[in-house]
Every structure is written in C-alpha cells, then in structure tokens.
C-alpha cells in the first residue's frame, strides 16, 4: 500500500476521475442551498439532489467532488469509537444518466488496487441479494472470488418515494487481531476488523407512492468514500484520529494539557473530541455559520461548547481553541483556500464564543454539581427538566451537555420536562422549519438548454418558454385568469432576486392575457422565473410577451444596491479588513447591511462612514460592470461574499479606486445617481455580527422631510428657532430638575409629618414594636425612603401600603435584626398581604416589597397584617 497523506489521497481521487471525463467541482458550502429539508450538508450527494431527481440539468453528466460534511446525530460516540466524527470529507463521483455499473465497479477497484496499491486479497465486496448484475461484474469482469462477494438484503438505498436502488460496498479486512474473535466474525460484524471504504449506489428505480418500483429511464451513480477511513488504512493507523488529517490537533491539545495520548482512555476521549470538534467549528464558521440558539447556529454552539468542556476535563484552564483553529487552517488551507482568507474572522468568532461560555461554565458546573449532590442524597436518579432548562437559559449549557455530564455520573435528565420549559421556543422553531408553504419550489427544468435562455435588461419582449403552477414543480401548457403561476421566458429584462436584492416586478403583456409579476427569482441552475398572477385572459407556452417593468422601483433598488457596495468599502476603511458582509436586504425602500464586527460601531465611526459614502456619491464616479474568469477577478482584488457560489465566469462591479465586488445585481451607472446616503440605525444581530440600516434617494429625502417636520414641531412647542432648540431643551431640563427637587423636598416634608404622627398607632406584639399603616406617596422610591424613617423610629416591624398615582398598590415591609430573630420575615408578610389584594411579591427577611391589584381590599389586607405578624413571632 502507498503511504499517502490525506491531502495526497484527495488530490489523486479527483485527478483519477477527471481523467475519466468528470467535471471536478469544489466542495459545496455546509449550508444547504435551496433545500430546507437539510440543516447541514451531511453527504457528498446532498448538493446534487435536484440532478438525481431529474428536476434540473447538471453542468456535466459526470461530476467528482470532495465534499465537506457535518453530522451530529451520534455526537456522543465521537472519541469513543475509531470512526465517529462530526466533520468528515466524502470523496464522490457521480453520473447523471451517463455511465452505470459496468464502468464504476472496475474504476473503483482500479483506484483502490492500482492507484492506492491496496492488496486485492484484503478487499471484500457486498451487493444486494437480488443484484445479479453487480455480482457478475465484480466476479466475471473485475475477478473478485465469489467467496469474497457477500449478498446482503440491507444493501438498498432509499428515503421514501423517489429515486432509489441497490448499492455495493467495498470493505477491507484489517486482520483478525482487529476483530472480535468470534467464529461468526465476517463482513457486517460490528467490530473493527472489516472496514467499509466505499459505497457505490446504483440509482436505477423510482419508488412509487404505493411502494412499488419502476425502472428509471436514466440511471444514476452516486458513490461515497470516506477520506479519513482510506487515510487510516494507507497510513496504517488503528483509527481515523491517528491520521495526519486529525492527529496534529490532538498533539496540540495534549501538549497544552501536558498529557500524553494513548495512556489514559478518558483523556484520549477528550483529546479526540477536541480535535474532531475544532475541525467542525472551523469549517462551519468559514462557511458563514455563526453560534446561535437555533438551527445550524445551535449545532455550532453545541460543538464549540462541548470542546471547551473537554478542555477543562483535561485541565486546560485558559482559552485554547484558537490555537487549535490555527492547526486546522495550516493543515487544510492548501486545498480549502477560503480558510486562509477568513482566518482572522474565524478566530474572532471562536474567541468570542469561547469567552462567552467561560464566563458561565464554572458557575453552571457548580450549580449542576450541587444538583447532582442533592439528587444523590435524596436517592433521585433524574434531574428535573426545569433545572436543566435553567442551565441552558442562564448558563448556556446545551441540554445535550447537561445530559452527558449526568450520564458520566450514572444519572439521567428529564428531557420531556426540559422540552416543556422551552415549549414556546421549540414551537416557533418547529413552525418555521416545517412551514411547507415557505419552502422554495424547485421547478422541473430537466431538458432545458439553460444557456439559450437569455437575460438582457435592454430588451423589451420575449417568448413564454414554460409555465408552472406557482406551488407545483411540474409544467403546464396554459394558465387562466386568476391563476398563480411561475413563468420562464426565452428572453427577459427582469432581474432575479439574489444576494439580498429583491427581484423585479411589473407585467408581462401577451395578446390574450396579462401576468402581474410579483417577484422574479433564479433557480439553482440559473433559470430566471417570473412569479405572479394572471390578471386578464390567459397565457400559453410559445406566446410572445412584451415587458412592462416597474422602473421607479427598480431604480430605487439600484441606488440602494450600489450604496451597499460603498458602505461595505467604507466599513473596511474605518473599522478594518476583518469586516465581511454577513447578509443584506436591498429593496426599493431601504437597505440593510449585516457585517462581521465584534463591538458596537461608535457614533464617531458612523459619522465617518456616512461621510465617506456621501463623498463618493458627490464625486460622481462611474460604476463599471464586467464579466471575467473568477481567477482573474480574484487577482484584480474583487471581494467575494460568504456563502455565495460562483461559476467560472463572474460579474464584477467596480467603483474605481474604492470598491470592487463579485455581484450579479442591479446598479446605478454613476454614484451621483444615489443622491444622498443616510444611516438610520446600527445594532447587533448576534455574536460578532452588526447591522446598519440606511436609506438613499427618495427614501433619504423622505427621512430629511420627516426630520424637518419633527424639528419644526419641537420649535413650535418650545417657542424657539431651530438653531436654538438644543439650548432651549437644556434650559427646560434644568427647570425640570429644579421643579423635581422642589417636589422631592415637599415629599420629604410630608413623609416627616407622617412619621411624626405614628406614635399612637404603634402596637407592641410579644415585646416587638409593630406599625401597620396606609400612607400617601407618589412612587416606590418615596415609599422605601418613608419606610426607612419609620422603621428607625418604630425600632421593630413596619408594614406600609400606598395607592400610587398610576393606580397601582405598592406594599413594603421592613424589620430590624431583633424582630427577625423573634421570627418575623418581611418576605412572608408582604406575600400574604398582597395575596388578599390579588397581587404578589416577596423579598428578604429584613426588607420586602409587593404589589396589589384590588384597591378596594387595601384596608382589609392591612388590618390582616397585624395578625400575620403576630403568627410569625415566636
């Protein structure tokens, strides 16, 4: 066997299939594109689902990739077995209606035995029990002995109705010493002796709704080979963790913790967890995922915080993840060059999340340990759901982390109780995820010559190429009045939604009907689709239509879009090169720009940013747009955006000497067309992401007019000129403070009068002096001040109640140390008194406050206070 590095294996695999006519594509982002059924990409074929189903035409009938994947379904097994990972890479080759079994079976054998020189006599094959065709190719063409071809009924790939088929797996026998020793040990055994290297899926059937199978006219190939597994075999390692794809991270963590790998099983698990999880977090953040409490952001937060905890188990008592991220980027940056470009950003996100968790980790761990001690003392084996939720909500403990810590102690967690405690959040997330109406429809464009469908904003007419019901992927020939449809044109001037920019609206005018276009979108294969309602007559495929765009709206969008480019460049200039776009909204009314930055933008910085943008607008710079090869665009210095997929030819928008970005959106021809740029707000949207909202053009003019109206109204109210508003406000504030001071003095006098008149109302109960009184004050602060004076004079217990000007009832109880020693508890007193008035509250034994609702019962409640206090005194 050849001893190859992981990077060499990846390179050889892609080159092997490129030589056999495959288009080599880069790994897709871990964020699924147009597939709400997936949270993260977890398989090599996942980005190609529309091609397998036949809804879309692939860029080539033969494709090969090395796909980044993240799965967390069995995260608790990471580090405990030789093969479980959250992050892994899947080598794959795919055929969409091109070659089939007789090609891929010999190719896979050739790659393993010739290219990698894995001994043929160590390889075993599995096929489906009824797949005689695959068996014959393996045996008769490749020459694998029949006794090393195993028929298994489970070798069939399907996920409900749709394309499916048998599969064939290639396993390697790692030797009896790696096995379980049982006489029955064979391919399929749960031990580590027989390791699956490659799975070949033969998609040859369509599973119908009734469960029957129909042969597909175009058969597909979908294969997946685990890069880490192949590396472990070629490098002679007992597990994936010892390969050069992971072990350098383990070495980093072991050196930092001053422990040795391979000596202590528990420590080894923590080292493996850290190494695996740091790979995941590095690639996830690199693809634009940020820590949050929902969706894929929650997956990232859970992975990162789990790594932090395992660092603590190893005795690492300082922040350490960024050092591990450095190792990952050094290992993978040669192939995944975007990691090098985003290194500073990735490190900053990791640093912030690690620091945030460390602030609460120790306190949360102490609370959980206290709960565990209490459980052990009382003989309880399950942590209640409310306590688990508090750890999640207050201390940032993912529930899985709490459950894992409990499991280490032989205890469990009340998961249903936890779910109930956060039911509202879960329901919101579940509703959003399962909202089928919100899912994008992937219209069936199989057979379309996408290159022949033209987008030209200077044209005025085209021909209807296809019509679909708006919520159905299958095409129809005609659409009648009132029908919601999606229309593809042979030629269009409508610009599709993308990159945060809204799509064009307007009308398609045919001889016999009109389509009111409500939005324009682009399908993943590049087809522009016009979605709207037939408002008159009917439309039919093949009909000529003329375009009527809402140009005023489009021009407003163009102003806002070019302004986002100027804003992006200005942010980098003022805040630093770490700033990257993290999302945007470009509509006719306003623009919203989300960007990576790790502290609030100061008022001074905002003024500077706004001035820079307006300077570029006033400079009347021409906006240049060109198409060029992606590598040339990068050499020119064009900025690519997070999460965006680009082809070989890209569109570059340039404001000379200031901004150059990849962009497919609409723009003004000259910056002067923007008119005016005005920032409305700056805020946070999550960890490490800030948001600026702004207006341009008509929106900016409307903002100026609105502000003028407010200033004029203020001038009228203050009876002054606009230039004197601030001075007049300052004077008014001073007058207000003086008036408030006088009020405060009067309140103090009133309070003193009330204090001086209490002697006759004080009662002595079991040697404790007690005062219960309804008083007059304006707010709770005044009530507390009065309570302090009365408690000092009474030298015992004081219970006060007041009807405040806003209609609320405030209740206050105070007690001296001597009264508390005698049994008085202010918290218990106000709780019972407030309950009579339909309210509630509580506090400390020495001071407590509450609120009441029923003012008619204030006298009854306060009368009851005497007996409540008497019952408490020992």
């Amino acid at each position: 066997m050849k001893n190859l590095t992981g990077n060499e294996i990846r390179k050889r695999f892609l080159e092997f299939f490129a030589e056999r006519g495959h288009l080599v594509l880069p790994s897709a982002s871990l964020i699924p594109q147009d597939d709400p059924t997936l949270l993260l990409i977890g398989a090599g074929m996942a980005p190609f689902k529309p091609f397998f189903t036949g809804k879309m035409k692939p860029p080539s009938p033969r494709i090969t990739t090395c796909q980044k994947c993240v799965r967390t379904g069995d995260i608790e097994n990471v580090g405990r077995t030789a093969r479980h990972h959250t992050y892994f890479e899947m080598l794959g080759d795919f055929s969409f209606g091109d070659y089939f079994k007789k090609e891929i079976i010999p190719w896979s054998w050739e790659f393993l035995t010739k290219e990698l020189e894995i001994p043929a006599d160590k390889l075993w094959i599995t096929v489906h029990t009824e797949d005689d065709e695959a068996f014959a190719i393996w045996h008769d063409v490749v020459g694998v002995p029949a006794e090393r071809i195993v028929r298994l009924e489970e070798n069939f790939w399907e996920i409900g109705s749709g394309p499916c088929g048998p599969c064939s797996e290639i396993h390697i026998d790692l030797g009896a010493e790696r096995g379980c020793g049982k006489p029955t040990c064979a391919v399929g055994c749960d031990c580590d002796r027989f390791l699956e290297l490659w799975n070949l899926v033969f998609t040859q059937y369509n599973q119908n709704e009734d469960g029957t199978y129909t042969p597909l006219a175009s058969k597909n190939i979908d294969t997946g080979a685990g890069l880490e597994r192949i590396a472990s075999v070629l490098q002679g390692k007992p597990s994936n963790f010892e390969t050069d794809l992971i072990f350098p991270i383990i070495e980093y963590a072991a050196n930092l913790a001053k422990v040795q790998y391979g000596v202590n099983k528990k420590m080894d698990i923590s080292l493996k967890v850290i190494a695996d999880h740091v790979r995941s977090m590095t690639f996830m953040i690199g693809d634009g995922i940020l820590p949050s409490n929902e969706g894929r952001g929650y997956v990232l937060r859970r992975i990162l915080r789990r790594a932090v905890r395992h660092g603590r188990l190893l005795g690492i008592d300082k922040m350490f993840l960024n050092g591990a991220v450095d190792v990952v980027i050094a290992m993978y940056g040669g192939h995944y060059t975007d990691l090098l470009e985003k290194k500073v950003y990735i490190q900053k996100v990791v640093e912030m999340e690690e620091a945030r968790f460390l602030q609460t980790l120790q306190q949360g761990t102490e609370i959980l340990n206290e709960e565990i001690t209490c459980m052990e003392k009382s003989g309880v084996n399950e942590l209640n759901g409310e306590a688990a939720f508090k750890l999640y909500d207050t201390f940032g403990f993912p529930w899985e982390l709490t459950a894992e810590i409990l499991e280490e102690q032989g205890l469990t967690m009340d998961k249903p109780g936890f779910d109930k405690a956060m039911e509202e959040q879960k329901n919101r997330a579940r509703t959003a995820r399962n909202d089928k109406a919100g899912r994008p429809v992937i219209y069936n464009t199989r057979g379309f010559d996408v290159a022949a469908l033209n987008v030209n904003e200077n044209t005025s007419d085209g021909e209807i190429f296809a019509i679909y019901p708006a919520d159905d992927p299958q095409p129809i020939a005609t659409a009648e009045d009132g029908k919601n449809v999606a229309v593809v044109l042979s030629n269009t001037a409508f610009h599709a939604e993308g990159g945060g920019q809204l799509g064009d609206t307007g009308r398609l005018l045919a001889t016999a009907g009109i389509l009111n276009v409500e939005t324009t979108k682009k399908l993943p294969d590049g087809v522009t689709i016009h979605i709207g309602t037939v408002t008159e007559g009917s439309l039919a495929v093949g009909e000529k239509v003329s375009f009527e765009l809402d140009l005023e709206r489009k021009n407003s969008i163009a102003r806002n879009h070019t302004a986002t480019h100027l804003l992006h460049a200005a942010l980098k200039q003022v805040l630093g090169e770490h700033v990257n776009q993290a999302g945007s909204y470009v509509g006719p009314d306003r623009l919203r720009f989300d960007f990576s930055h790790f502290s609030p933008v100061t008022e001074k910085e905002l003024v500077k940013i706004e001035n820079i943008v307006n300077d570029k607008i006033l400079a009347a710079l021409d906006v240049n747009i060109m198409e060029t090869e992606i590598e040339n665009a990068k050499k020119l210095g064009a900025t690519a955006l997070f999460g965006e997929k680009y082809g070989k030819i890209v569109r570059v928008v340039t404001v000379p000497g200031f901004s150059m970005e990849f962009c497919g959106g609409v723009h003004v021809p000259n910056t002067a067309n923007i008119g005016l740029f005005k920032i409305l707000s700056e805020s946070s949207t999550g960890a490490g992401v800030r948001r600026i909202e702004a207006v341009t053009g008509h929106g900016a003019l409307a903002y100026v007019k609105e502000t003028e109206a407010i200033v004029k109204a203020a001038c009228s109210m203050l009876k002054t000129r606009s230039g004197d508003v601030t001075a007049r406000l300052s004077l008014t504030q001073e007058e207000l403070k003086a008036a408030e001071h006088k009020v405060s003095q009067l309140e103090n006098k009133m309070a003193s009068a009330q204090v001086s008149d209490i002697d006759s109302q004080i009662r002595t109960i079991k040697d404790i002096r007690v005062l219960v009184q309804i008083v007059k004050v304006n707010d709770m602060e005044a009530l507390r001040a009065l309570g302090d004076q009365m408690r000092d004079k009474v030298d015992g217990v004081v219970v006060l109640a007041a009807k405040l000007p806003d209609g609320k009832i405030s209740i206050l109880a105070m007690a001296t140390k001597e009264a508390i020693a005698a049994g008085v508890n202010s918290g218990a007193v106000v709780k019972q008194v407030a309950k009579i008035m339909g309210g509630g509250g509580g506090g400390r034994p020495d001071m407590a406050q509450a609120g009441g609702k029923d003012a008619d019962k204030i006298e009854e409640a306060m009368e009851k206070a005497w007996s409540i206090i008497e019952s408490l005194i020992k």
Side-chain angles (χ1 to χ4, degrees):
M1 287 186 287
K2 289 184 178 177
N3 188 351
L4 301 176
T5 67
N7 286 332
E8 288 171 336
I9 296 167
R10 186 195 298 113
K11 185 171 182 287
R12 290 199 179 203
F13 182 91
L14 297 175
E15 288 176 347
F16 180 88
F17 282 99
E19 290 167 0
R20 286 152 184 78
H22 289 66
L23 172 65
V24 180
L25 291 180
S27 171
S29 168
L30 287 166
I31 302 174
Q33 301 293 313
D34 301 305
D35 190 348
T37 65
L38 295 178
L39 200 61
L40 291 159
I41 293 295
M45 62 75 65
F48 304 128
K49 281 168 68 174
F51 303 150
F52 280 113
T53 58
K55 289 182 179 179
M56 285 172 47
K57 184 180 178 181
S60 169
R62 299 183 180 191
I63 289 175
T64 184
T65 63
C66 181
Q67 176 61 45
K68 300 174 289 188
C69 299
V70 169
R71 294 181 191 171
T72 57
D74 46 10
I75 192 173
E76 66 280 353
N77 288 325
V78 172
R80 300 179 187 276
T81 72
R83 316 292 170 204
H84 278 97
H85 303 293
T86 56
Y87 174 86
F88 59 95
E89 292 184 55
M90 188 65 76
L91 300 165
D93 62 281
F94 310 93
S95 167
F96 307 103
D98 188 28
Y99 63 80
F100 203 50
K101 295 178 188 178
K102 68 184 179 64
E103 289 86 6
I104 187 54
I105 289 175
W107 284 344
S108 58
W109 185 262
E110 180 185 355
F111 180 75
L112 293 176
T113 62
K114 304 296 183 189
E115 189 73 23
L116 303 184
E117 297 180 3
I118 296 175
D121 60 359
K122 290 183 177 291
L123 297 177
W124 286 69
I125 308 300
T126 66
V127 297
H128 186 253
T129 48
E130 298 178 12
D131 196 351
D132 296 332
E133 181 185 4
F135 185 98
I137 296 171
W138 280 118
H139 182 257
D140 301 337
V141 178
V142 176
V144 179
E147 61 270 18
R148 290 218 310 277
I149 305 174
V150 182
R151 292 180 184 264
L152 297 174
E153 190 173 348
E154 61 262 30
N155 272 35
F156 196 91
W157 183 87
E158 58 185 338
I159 47 171
S161 60
C164 59
C167 60
S168 179
E169 298 167 344
I170 306 173
H171 297 251
I172 185 169
D173 183 355
L174 297 174
E177 66 278 8
R178 298 281 290 275
C180 57
K182 296 176 183 176
T184 56
C185 185
V187 173
C189 183
D190 290 334
C191 71
D192 288 339
R193 176 173 177 177
F194 295 94
L195 175 67
E196 179 193 335
L197 294 179
W198 206 335
N199 187 14
L200 317 176
V201 179
F202 312 124
T203 312
Q204 61 189 84
Y205 300 111
N206 185 73
Q207 187 191 82
N208 303 310
E209 296 289 346
D210 60 2
T212 59
Y213 297 92
T214 305
L216 289 172
S218 296
K219 297 176 173 59
N220 305 317
I221 289 291
D222 159 24
T223 84
L227 176 62
E228 290 83 0
R229 292 189 176 201
I230 294 176
S232 73
V233 171
L234 296 185
Q235 295 171 19
K237 303 299 182 182
S239 82
N240 297 352
F241 290 96
E242 283 83 19
T243 68
D244 70 322
L245 292 167
I246 304 175
F247 196 67
I249 318 169
I250 290 177
E251 288 182 311
Y252 162 80
N255 290 336
L256 201 61
K258 295 180 173 56
V259 299
Q260 188 175 345
Y261 180 75
V263 174
N264 181 292
K265 187 177 179 181
K266 269 185 100 171
M267 287 186 173
D268 284 355
I269 289 172
S270 289
L271 289 169
K272 291 175 182 177
V273 167
I274 291 168
D276 171 87
H277 288 12
V278 171
R279 285 206 308 170
S280 288
M281 70 180 76
T282 302
F283 280 98
M284 290 174 77
I285 296 168
D287 278 348
I289 299 169
L290 289 168
S292 71
N293 284 332
E294 289 185 0
R296 57 184 70 94
Y298 178 72
V299 174
L300 171 59
R301 173 162 284 169
R302 178 187 174 195
I303 285 171
L304 193 151
R305 295 189 171 190
R306 196 168 184 264
V308 172
R309 178 181 174 259
H310 278 275
R312 290 299 173 274
L313 292 178
L314 289 171
I316 302 174
D317 58 1
K318 59 183 180 181
M319 292 177 63
F320 71 97
L321 289 181
N322 262 339
V325 169
D326 277 343
V327 177
V328 174
I329 294 176
M331 292 163 59
Y332 288 90
H335 182 74
Y336 299 104
T337 55
D338 59 316
L339 293 180
L340 296 172
E341 297 166 7
K342 300 168 185 171
K343 180 178 178 179
V344 174
Y345 174 75
I346 294 169
Q347 288 180 323
K348 192 65 180 179
V349 173
V350 170
E351 179 187 342
M352 288 185 64
E353 183 67 12
E354 184 177 11
R356 183 177 284 111
F357 187 45
L358 287 178
Q359 291 172 358
T360 58
L361 175 61
Q362 184 176 349
Q363 192 178 358
T365 302
E366 288 172 359
I367 288 175
L368 180 55
N369 288 338
E370 289 173 7
E371 291 282 354
I372 290 171
T373 301
C374 291
M375 290 164 65
E376 289 172 343
K377 284 181 180 178
S378 57
V380 176
N381 294 320
E382 184 178 73
L383 178 70
N384 69 74
E386 285 188 9
F389 180 73
K390 181 182 178 183
L391 285 165
Y392 165 82
D393 194 43
T394 307
F395 302 104
F397 274 46
W399 71 263
E400 298 92 342
L401 178 59
T402 300
E404 190 176 322
I405 295 171
L406 290 167
E407 187 180 350
E408 291 168 1
Q409 305 294 325
L411 304 170
T412 60
M413 186 190 90
D414 173 19
K415 182 60 168 58
F418 176 90
D419 289 340
K420 185 179 179 182
M422 63 180 302
E423 185 177 357
E424 190 175 332
Q425 278 176 272
K426 288 288 184 182
N427 283 342
R428 275 202 306 269
R430 195 177 297 115
T431 300
R433 185 167 173 79
N434 293 334
D435 180 12
K436 293 187 95 175
R439 295 185 179 183
V441 178
I442 305 299
Y443 299 102
N444 187 352
T445 59
R446 185 76 176 183
F448 281 26
D449 182 0
V450 178
L453 300 177
N454 187 33
V455 178
N456 185 343
E457 294 181 25
N458 296 318
T459 56
S460 58
D461 55 57
E463 183 180 303
I464 296 177
F465 189 81
I467 303 175
Y468 305 85
D471 57 356
D472 190 333
Q474 299 307 318
I476 54 177
T478 61
E480 303 299 324
D481 183 17
K483 186 84 171 177
N484 293 322
V485 295
V487 172
V488 177
L489 302 174
S490 61
N491 177 72
T492 183
F494 283 73
H495 200 97
E497 178 181 313
Q501 177 190 301
L502 298 185
D504 282 345
T505 61
R507 299 199 301 171
L508 300 182
L509 308 174
T511 304
I514 296 174
L515 177 71
N516 186 34
V517 179
E518 293 152 10
T519 186
T520 308
K521 294 181 179 290
K522 184 173 286 188
L523 299 181
D525 61 357
V527 172
T528 298
I529 197 142
H530 312 73
I531 301 171
T533 305
V534 181
T535 56
E536 291 181 26
S538 63
L539 300 177
V541 172
E543 277 189 329
K544 297 280 186 184
V545 292
S546 57
F547 310 144
E548 190 180 272
L549 278 87
D550 185 340
L551 292 177
E552 184 176 338
R553 177 180 180 275
K554 183 167 186 165
N555 290 336
S556 294
I557 289 173
R559 280 189 285 269
N560 284 332
H561 201 156
T562 305
T564 63
H565 285 224
L566 298 178
L567 173 60
H568 192 183
L571 286 165
K572 283 181 176 287
Q573 188 173 315
V574 175
L575 304 179
E577 286 299 318
H578 65 277
V579 168
N580 281 299
Q581 182 172 335
S584 68
Y585 164 87
V586 180
D589 55 334
R590 62 191 168 89
L591 67 92
R592 184 184 70 223
F593 192 78
D594 296 345
F595 57 97
S596 52
H597 189 56
F598 308 99
S599 61
V601 184
T602 66
E603 188 63 34
K604 187 176 179 181
E605 288 169 333
L606 287 172
V607 169
K608 192 172 182 181
I609 290 162
E610 188 175 89
N611 286 342
I612 290 171
V613 174
N614 281 311
D615 284 347
K616 298 304 174 185
I617 292 170
L618 292 172
L621 301 171
D622 286 335
V623 179
N624 302 323
I625 298 175
M626 69 171 181
E627 290 190 348
T628 184
E629 291 186 355
I630 189 168
E631 292 306 318
N632 183 51
K634 288 180 178 178
K635 287 177 185 175
L636 291 171
T639 303
L641 304 182
F642 269 132
E644 290 294 320
K645 293 171 72 177
Y646 300 102
K648 287 184 178 179
I649 304 298
V650 294
R651 189 168 179 263
V652 178
V653 177
T654 305
V655 178
F658 188 65
S659 167
M660 182 183 293
E661 292 190 18
F662 292 22
C663 184
V666 296
H667 289 273
V668 295
N670 186 287
T671 58
N673 297 122
I674 297 171
L676 173 67
F677 172 81
K678 184 63 190 170
I679 293 175
L680 301 181
S681 66
E682 190 275 344
S683 60
S684 169
T685 65
V689 179
R690 308 298 299 180
R691 170 175 291 174
I692 282 179
E693 296 195 62
V695 286
T696 68
H698 294 301
L701 289 173
Y703 173 80
V704 170
K705 288 178 181 177
E706 183 183 342
T707 304
E708 280 183 341
I710 293 170
V711 172
K712 285 179 180 177
C715 290
S716 176
M717 293 170 69
L718 294 168
K719 295 180 173 58
T720 188
R721 296 174 299 178
S722 60
D724 299 328
V725 167
T726 53
R728 187 72 185 88
L729 280 173
S730 295
L731 181 62
T732 303
Q733 283 182 319
E734 289 174 10
E735 291 171 347
L736 181 61
K737 283 180 183 177
E740 287 174 345
H741 181 65
K742 286 183 180 178
V743 170
S744 178
Q745 287 179 322
L746 288 171
E747 286 180 343
N748 289 335
K749 288 181 180 179
M750 290 171 63
S752 298
Q754 293 184 76
V755 171
S756 63
D757 195 34
I758 62 172
D759 290 338
S760 61
Q761 300 174 52
I762 298 173
R763 299 182 192 178
T764 300
I765 302 175
K766 298 179 184 178
D767 297 327
I768 299 295
R769 284 162 59 84
V770 180
L771 173 68
V772 176
Q773 191 173 45
I774 299 172
V775 296
K776 293 181 178 180
V777 293
N778 288 325
D779 54 39
M780 193 66 204
E781 188 178 346
L783 183 63
R784 281 193 293 266
L786 182 60
D788 285 335
Q789 293 181 53
M790 288 188 170
R791 178 198 55 206
D792 293 343
K793 183 166 184 177
V794 172
D795 193 25
V797 181
V798 171
V799 182
L800 306 178
K803 294 180 184 177
L804 301 183
D806 60 5
K808 294 179 181 176
I809 301 168
S810 289
I811 306 155
L812 177 75
M814 291 181 166
T816 60
K817 291 180 181 178
E818 293 75 16
I820 295 169
V824 175
N825 185 314
S826 297
V829 173
V830 298
K831 188 176 182 180
Q832 292 183 59
V833 171
K835 188 177 180 181
I836 297 170
M837 290 182 275
R844 304 188 306 271
D846 63 322
M847 196 276 282
Q849 59 190 53
K853 295 178 181 178
D854 190 348
D856 293 337
K857 292 190 176 182
I858 188 169
E859 293 181 0
E860 176 190 340
M862 293 300 281
E863 184 62 34
K864 184 70 175 175
W866 297 104
S867 58
I868 292 170
I869 294 168
E870 185 174 4
S871 68
L872 292 173
I873 299 175
K874 299 170 186 174

